[in-house]
Amino acid sequence: MPNRAMNQPHHPHPRQYQLRVAGSLSAQWSEWFEGLAITPAENGETLITGWVADQAALHGLLKKVRDVGLPLLSVNPLEPGAPGGADASGDSIQKE
Amino acid sequence: MATPILATKLYIPPPRPQVVARPRLLECLNEGLRSGHKLTLVSAPAGSGKTTLISAWVYQKDAPPETPLRNAGQARGAGGELLRGDLDESGATLQPSSFSLHPSRVAWLSLDEGDSDPTRFLTYLVAALQTVAAGIGESSLATLQAPQPPSTETILTALLNEIAALPEPLVLVLDDYHVIEAQAVDQALTFLLEHLPPQLHVLIATREDPQLPLARLRARGQLTEVREADLRFALAEAAEFLNRVMGLNLSAADIAALEARTEGWVAGLQLAALSMRREPDPARFIQTFTGSDHFVLDYLLEEVLQRQPQAIQAFLLRTSILRRLSAPLCDAILGHTEKTAQETLESLERANLFLVPLDPERRWYRYHHLFGDLLRQRLGNPAELAEDHLRASAWYEANNDLAEAFHHALAAGASERAASLAEAAWQAMERSFQTAAWIGWIKRLPQAVVCGRPRLCVQLAWAHSDAGELETSEAYLQHAERALAGAGDGPGSESLPGNIPLIRASNAQNQGDLAETLRYTELAMQLIPQDDFGLRASAAITLGFTHWATGDLELSLQAMHAWRDNMRRLGNPLFDVASAFAVADMQVILGRLREAENALRQAISAATALGHEAEAVIAHHHLGLALLAHERGEAATQTHHLQTAADLGQHTTLVDWRYRWNLAQARLKESAGEWEAALELLNEASRVHVKNAIPLAYPVAAHQARVHLKQGRLDKAQAWARECGLSTEAEARYLDEYELLTLARVRLAEGALAGVSKMLERLLALAETQKRSGSLIEIRLTQALVEQAQQNRPGAVAALAHALALAEPEGYLRTFVDEGEAIRSLLLEFSATIEKRANINQQRLISYVNQLLAAFPHPATLPHSTVAQRTAALVEPMSGRELEVLQLIAQGLTNREISERLCVTISTVKGHNQRLFGKLQAQNRTEAVTRARELGLL
């Protein structure tokens, strides 16, 4: 998985976010979401998790969700070290 | 890149041959039109069938009958509920009852990311409107291209006025509005909606609600909405779609299962139908699909792709990187394939594979946005992808679309190539137009790449200079200097060193630092190669305008001459012709009316020889000739040129046309004594003024103060004097001259002349050094008035004599006559003096003075005349003191207050009162004021 500038934690105010969408997505979709981790959740839902550089990047991400018509269920910031968070490389969960 | 309008963005998507009839939604849209709503909002996720619905609506056979566009609202605005019949009988100017929706009344604009640039958005908006109302908004387009265009609201107001004058209503469709990410565009559209004339209805299709005052429109009942829930297919619609439109033969249970799984989402149903087309066992397909919890589109697209032949799969995926597809472009990317790209495109369109035609000839297509995104999501191998992007970039470059070429070069990661395309695009671009968009490109390039390219840095410095971002401009100039020092001379770089001081000159000019401007321009002239005519012209024009701003008109003319010479060598005779009006302006300031006239006449003949295109730039010239004729009192010539100017002005491409036209009209109204009309025209002139390089030597506010003085509205003129920030102690500067002379006239009317004579001496000295005879005449006339007011008649006559000596050879007339009685009496006195000691040399002067005197209107016959003239209209003229008292009475002051104000006793005031009542034949203060107003004394 190529590391994009976006999921590197050395931006001014990068933060981990987790998006929950309806419908299950394959890990292939990680590329579309700028390298964020794609993980299945209960009820056929999907979590999209990773480092987001700033608010503008977060809005860009939401537009990507909008543009493919994925129904968006929730958006949450993750506290550092919280369960379900991706590590700094954003890779570990995808490899599961 | 003058006006790079892509026609494909204005093409109304044709209706599909077979669609599900959605009478309920069509009726909803029709009802919106019928009830006069301002806006229809179709807001729903990707793939909901928004564009299909609107296209079907535009092309519907049963057009909405009798749709009076918002005349109900208009009737209410007029003060009461009127029945429609009443409106029709009342013969309302608009006849909207005949409106029925027809594609020829629909202006369509498919937006893309680039339209977040407000200039581009407005340009396309006008272009879209022009597809239904030929020629509309031409002047808006011209002002949009000005280096510093007026506010968006000014441009939109002009456009709205034109729309309001249209005989037939129309609908403006803005498709894909969600791509707009600019407050400026949202604000422009909000302004448009708030001032929308009844002729126009706006329809917006978007994936997210736009930042417009939707709640307000909803509350006022001016909004029609079609949303996600409305667009979802109900069970019956799903059945019609799957079985009739897509030609399947599914059971009611299967249809219900699909409808439930896709939740009536049209894109999902269509992909499902495509998957089942050649499916021997649709029931099993449906069972697997509905049993899966995969994201609907992800699942179905995979199914659709797998069922396509390998070649089609490759075609779809590889061409999905394109924003628009044409057969030659696809060929360039895919190389030779079994089928030609044209055949493939047509078969994809027939197979309903989400291909949208962009023109009636089927030359350009695009993928349905959602489908394209889903395909791109599947693209693998970055290296192959980069190669495809490079092929697309090369094709676009060869086909002269540098914007797309740049986009694909960047997508391929080829930064240096992208940077070199950006450089080429700048060269091809008409400066100042779309600069913002171009700067937007560069922001996407790595900074290291940009800073290593001196040419690009110089172009960026220009771009930021044009945008008024002077610090950024200077930063890029320093990058350019460093890059030039490091890289040595690349090919074609010899013009770069000359550009650098020229940009610094332009930035200094922008900050009003004339000395630095001159210093840098002269440095640039030394560095620019002799044969770089374009750049030399650029330097010359900067020099010309700077000298103009300092009042050195002789030097300015020389620079202007150099500019015109270089423009001719560049093969641009049109510029040479157009600029004659500026030359004439300068000659007028120099007091050379005949030279000014010659310059204008020569340019007009040259324009005639150049043909039609040149006529668009000579409206200014005819206006100039009309004003010269006006000054000389040649009424017939004035009328002829004014009419020609009015005709040509409608099509002129010079941005400050409306400003100059209103100023000229104001000047004429002023001479006719129509003060209110003159003031109104001056207001309009200031409203439409577009900032440009020509120095603003006659500020409109000062001009208005002069009109107020002529009206006797001293308070207004005093308010201007307080706000102009100048005092009679001010040093003489050419650009302040007109305002300082206006200030002198305000002090004259106040009777507070301290320091005024000294100030006029300073202005005289500067104008004499700079040989500005036009200025000298005005200063001398003001001097004559000031001396006269100070009871120095010999001094006044002497000043007048100086003015006459300069004015006589050029045939000035209006400048003297418009001054009215004060100057007339001085002329009489002057005439008496010279006739006494008449010698042969003064014969010409004597006959000139007689000619001037004959041109003064007889005081008693004029309804509108200056204060002095009006006083003469009385049986017995009023003294200055009596007039003063009269003005204070009109302000409502008591006798005691007047006595305090004028430092006289109350009985003196009463004495003045008695005399002025007598002269006005009034019984009391109220009658006196009324009568004085009738006579124009107040």
Side-chain angles (χ1 to χ4, degrees):
Chain A
M1 188 57 51
N3 279 331
R4 302 280 172 93
M6 202 172 152
N7 65 352
Q8 295 297 302
H10 52 63
H11 270 260
H13 300 289
R15 219 177 158 162
Q16 280 205 68
Y17 277 92
Q18 188 164 72
L19 277 57
R20 184 181 286 266
V21 296
S24 70
L25 286 179
S26 61
Q28 246 193 351
W29 278 79
S30 177
E31 182 85 9
W32 176 257
F33 289 115
E34 310 280 331
L36 268 65
I38 306 292
T39 35
E42 66 278 14
N43 305 327
E45 291 163 8
T46 302
L47 299 174
I48 303 167
T49 315
W51 288 96
V52 174
D54 51 23
Q55 285 290 305
L58 178 62
H59 284 287
L61 189 60
L62 295 178
K63 280 200 197 323
K64 292 210 143 207
V65 172
R66 178 199 71 187
D67 284 343
V68 289
L70 269 167
L72 179 65
L73 302 175
S74 70
V75 182
N76 289 304
L78 294 185
E79 294 310 317
D87 67 8
S89 77
D91 278 358
S92 64
I93 290 179
Q94 282 160 247
K95 285 173 185 161
E96 279 171 12
Chain B
M1 280 225 242
T3 10
I5 298 292
L6 278 178
T8 51
K9 281 166 64 74
L10 310 178
Y11 178 64
I12 309 181
R16 291 152 181 272
Q18 285 203 309
V19 283
V20 175
R22 314 192 76 178
R24 188 176 53 83
L25 293 180
L26 293 180
E27 178 49 26
C28 174
L29 295 176
N30 286 338
E31 177 58 25
L33 262 196
R34 247 197 314 269
S35 52
H37 287 180
K38 286 184 171 191
L39 175 66
T40 298
L41 179 66
V42 181
S43 184
S48 299
K50 297 181 291 293
T51 306
T52 307
L53 172 71
I54 300 164
S55 164
W57 177 60
V58 168
Y59 284 99
Q60 66 189 311
K61 291 214 178 57
D62 305 315
E66 305 294 295
T67 48
L69 261 184
R70 274 208 309 295
N71 59 3
Q74 216 183 19
R76 272 198 299 278
E81 282 288 349
L82 290 176
L83 294 175
R84 240 191 59 218
D86 294 340
L87 244 196
D88 291 344
E89 280 164 20
S90 76
T93 49
L94 181 68
Q95 307 278 317
S97 59
S98 62
F99 182 63
S100 60
L101 190 63
H102 187 272
S104 68
R105 307 250 189 101
V106 175
W108 189 288
L109 174 54
S110 297
L111 297 162
D112 60 50
E113 287 80 1
D115 296 316
S116 287
D117 176 35
T119 304
R120 196 178 119 135
F121 175 78
L122 290 175
T123 305
Y124 267 105
L125 184 72
V126 172
L129 290 172
Q130 286 185 341
T131 61
V132 289
I136 199 168
E138 273 301 330
S139 65
S140 303
L141 281 184
T143 39
L144 273 171
Q145 293 175 29
Q148 277 154 321
S151 75
T152 305
E153 295 193 356
T154 306
I155 295 172
L156 283 174
T157 304
L159 186 62
L160 285 165
N161 285 337
E162 285 186 67
I163 294 171
L166 288 177
E168 293 184 333
L170 52 100
V171 173
L172 170 68
V173 177
L174 300 174
D175 197 9
D176 293 327
Y177 192 80
H178 55 267
V179 299
I180 299 294
E181 286 187 54
Q183 257 192 339
V185 173
D186 291 329
Q187 282 163 1
L189 201 56
T190 302
F191 182 85
L192 191 84
L193 285 169
E194 278 171 355
H195 300 87
L196 206 65
Q199 278 90 343
L200 187 60
H201 180 87
V202 179
L203 190 153
I204 291 176
T206 175
R207 290 176 185 175
E208 61 179 41
D209 282 5
Q211 297 302 306
L212 302 173
L214 296 178
R216 200 186 315 158
L217 290 167
R218 236 178 245 130
R220 291 185 190 155
Q222 291 169 333
L223 178 66
T224 303
E225 281 178 277
V226 175
R227 309 195 62 92
E228 183 176 2
D230 305 307
L231 282 162
R232 287 187 184 280
F233 273 1
L235 199 54
E237 287 174 320
E240 190 191 346
F241 177 73
L242 293 167
N243 282 350
R244 187 178 62 79
V245 175
M246 299 303 283
L248 300 172
N249 186 18
L250 303 177
S251 70
D254 284 345
I255 289 167
L258 280 175
E259 202 267 342
R261 174 72 170 96
T262 59
E263 298 178 61
W265 193 9
V266 183
L269 286 169
Q270 186 169 353
L271 281 168
L274 287 170
S275 311
M276 288 183 288
R277 271 240 171 111
R278 289 187 210 88
E279 176 63 49
D281 188 357
R284 201 176 54 95
F285 172 89
I286 292 167
Q287 201 182 8
T288 323
F289 171 45
T290 52
S292 139
D293 60 8
H294 251 84
F295 174 44
V296 173
L297 295 191
D298 196 26
Y299 181 95
L300 290 173
L301 186 67
E302 190 60 34
E303 295 293 320
V304 170
L305 279 179
Q306 275 179 13
R307 285 167 167 77
Q308 302 300 326
Q310 205 62 43
I312 294 292
Q313 283 189 40
F315 184 95
L316 288 170
L317 287 169
R318 289 181 65 188
T319 58
S320 73
I321 62 168
L322 300 170
R323 296 199 270 212
R324 296 192 310 275
L325 299 83
S326 74
L329 173 57
C330 293
D331 279 332
I333 288 180
L334 295 157
H336 281 291
T337 48
E338 208 175 305
K339 276 198 207 170
T340 68
Q342 188 66 38
E343 285 166 346
T344 308
L345 286 168
E346 282 171 16
S347 73
L348 289 177
E349 192 195 351
R350 274 195 304 276
N352 270 327
L353 270 165
F354 299 96
L355 203 59
V356 183
L358 293 176
D359 54 47
E361 295 84 27
R362 301 293 198 265
R363 286 176 52 241
W364 285 97
Y365 293 89
R366 66 169 172 82
Y367 287 116
H368 186 283
H369 295 305
L370 173 60
F371 186 71
D373 276 341
L374 290 168
L375 286 173
R376 277 190 287 283
Q377 183 269 319
R378 268 151 218 276
L379 288 171
N381 198 334
E384 275 176 31
L385 202 60
E387 279 189 26
D388 282 350
H389 275 299
L390 277 181
R391 291 191 186 101
S393 177
W395 187 88
Y396 273 120
E397 186 187 8
N399 285 276
N400 268 328
D401 187 337
L402 296 178
E404 286 298 308
F406 175 86
H407 163 78
H408 284 291
L410 206 62
S415 304
E416 292 290 346
R417 174 178 168 76
S420 114
L421 285 164
E423 288 173 1
W426 175 265
Q427 306 278 356
M429 193 164 64
E430 205 162 286
R431 268 263 303 288
S432 82
F433 185 58
Q434 293 211 319
T435 298
W438 186 84
I439 291 179
W441 295 13
I442 310 301
K443 284 196 179 134
R444 297 166 58 198
L445 288 170
Q447 188 69 3
V449 170
V450 175
C451 292
R453 305 181 71 104
R455 178 177 305 277
L456 194 56
C457 288
V458 164
Q459 292 170 338
L460 276 162
W462 272 125
H464 285 286
S465 173
D466 287 349
E469 292 152 2
L470 307 185
E471 279 177 27
T472 317
S473 174
E474 175 58 31
Y476 277 114
L477 287 174
Q478 289 173 22
H479 284 309
E481 283 171 335
R482 273 194 292 274
L484 275 174
D489 298 343
S493 67
E494 41 305 309
S495 72
L496 295 180
N499 262 289
I500 293 173
L502 191 54
I503 299 169
R504 291 204 166 110
S506 170
N507 291 348
Q509 190 180 36
N510 227 317
Q511 288 175 305
D513 188 339
L514 299 179
E516 285 286 276
T517 312
L518 287 179
R519 191 167 77 81
Y520 280 120
T521 316
E522 276 154 12
L523 184 59
M525 275 298 204
Q526 287 165 26
L527 291 174
I528 302 169
Q530 285 297 328
D531 58 352
D532 192 339
F533 304 127
L535 210 55
R536 292 196 79 80
S538 221
I541 197 82
T542 306
L543 203 58
F545 285 133
T546 310
H547 283 311
W548 189 341
T550 54
D552 287 318
L553 274 298
E554 288 274 13
L555 294 175
S556 182
L557 272 175
Q558 279 174 26
M560 203 68 186
H561 181 74
W563 179 75
R564 298 176 80 179
D565 187 48
N566 279 296
M567 287 319 261
R568 268 195 301 270
R569 285 163 193 257
L570 266 181
N572 268 331
L574 212 56
F575 284 81
D576 182 25
V577 168
S579 63
F581 80 85
V583 170
D585 279 357
M586 295 182 201
Q587 299 283 20
V588 167
I589 298 164
L590 289 165
R592 303 172 190 160
L593 303 190
R594 293 182 202 285
E595 294 277 337
E597 184 181 343
N598 285 343
L600 294 172
R601 289 200 186 283
Q602 276 171 20
I604 290 173
S605 344
T608 315
L610 284 171
H612 187 65
E613 202 192 348
E615 297 214 319
V617 300
I618 55 166
H620 281 48
H621 303 46
H622 283 284
L623 195 59
L625 286 174
L627 285 177
L628 286 171
H630 175 70
E631 176 59 49
R632 297 216 189 96
E634 296 158 358
T637 316
Q638 174 193 326
T639 310
H640 163 71
H641 286 296
L642 205 59
Q643 187 55 50
T644 316
D647 294 344
L648 294 175
Q650 290 174 2
H651 310 288
T652 188
T653 44
L654 299 183
V655 291
D656 62 345
W657 166 249
R658 289 175 65 207
Y659 171 70
R660 293 177 79 96
W661 172 258
N662 283 298
L663 274 192
Q665 289 291 324
R667 180 84 191 78
L668 301 180
K669 292 289 178 199
E670 212 183 326
S671 287
E674 296 175 34
W675 314 125
E676 287 303 324
L679 286 172
E680 188 42 50
L681 286 157
L682 288 171
N683 271 337
E684 182 64 12
S686 126
R687 209 172 60 74
V688 299
H689 183 245
V690 178
K691 195 170 176 240
N692 58 58
I694 297 180
L696 204 55
Y698 307 97
V700 170
H703 195 156
Q704 284 175 318
R706 291 186 178 207
V707 179
H708 284 134
L709 284 177
K710 290 191 175 173
Q711 284 182 305
R713 288 157 79 182
L714 183 56
D715 53 331
K716 291 262 184 193
Q718 284 172 318
W720 168 82
R722 276 192 302 275
E723 280 160 23
C724 74
L726 290 168
S727 86
T728 48
E729 302 306 312
E731 260 185 70
R733 272 180 68 223
Y734 166 65
L735 277 188
D736 295 336
E737 181 184 275
Y738 184 78
E739 285 172 292
L740 288 175
L741 290 177
T742 310
L743 190 62
R745 285 165 185 267
V746 176
R747 297 288 173 255
L748 195 58
E750 288 171 333
L753 286 167
V756 172
S757 297
K758 286 252 163 59
M759 176 189 79
L760 292 177
E761 287 297 336
R762 289 195 296 276
L763 288 174
L764 264 183
L766 180 64
E768 257 161 16
T769 315
Q770 298 181 326
K771 299 196 178 68
R772 284 184 274 111
S773 297
S775 298
L776 287 171
I777 293 172
E778 296 209 8
I779 301 167
R780 288 295 189 185
L781 272 178
T782 317
Q783 214 175 24
L785 294 171
V786 168
E787 294 309 318
Q788 188 185 29
Q790 290 174 320
Q791 315 304 330
N792 175 9
R793 304 242 356 139
V797 173
L800 181 66
H802 278 293
L804 289 170
L806 294 169
E808 183 272 325
E810 301 289 333
Y812 279 85
L813 192 122
R814 270 286 151 198
T815 297
F816 292 85
V817 173
D818 284 356
E819 293 291 348
E821 188 54 27
I823 289 296
R824 195 178 82 102
S825 71
L826 284 178
L827 276 171
L828 284 169
E829 201 168 324
F830 173 74
S831 150
T833 348
I834 54 171
E835 272 173 19
K836 266 188 239 152
R837 49 186 172 84
N839 64 43
I840 198 76
N841 292 334
Q842 283 174 317
Q843 279 313 315
R844 252 187 23 210
L845 194 55
I846 291 167
S847 85
Y848 175 56
V849 170
N850 287 337
Q851 192 194 334
L852 287 182
L853 284 167
F856 279 85
H858 191 276
T861 60
L862 248 206
H864 302 286
S865 46
T866 64
V867 172
Q869 286 168 334
R870 286 171 203 173
T871 313
L874 294 169
V875 180
E876 201 183 337
M878 251 187 243
S879 73
R881 198 54 149 187
E882 284 159 6
L883 265 177
E884 228 171 326
V885 172
L886 181 62
Q887 277 165 2
L888 295 174
I889 291 176
Q891 287 170 25
L893 270 62
T894 63
N895 284 345
R896 173 170 298 282
E897 285 165 341
I898 294 172
S899 78
E900 281 163 9
R901 182 75 67 92
L902 299 177
C903 299
V904 293
T905 63
I906 293 190
S907 62
T908 310
V909 174
K910 285 181 177 163
H912 285 310
N913 286 358
Q914 288 313 314
R915 279 190 297 281
L916 70 89
F917 287 2
K919 287 175 183 176
L920 289 164
Q921 294 170 309
Q923 299 299 318
N924 53 40
R925 293 164 68 106
T926 319
E927 265 188 47
V929 171
T930 313
R931 176 94 179 97
R933 290 229 160 94
E934 281 167 13
L935 287 168
L937 288 169
L938 285 172

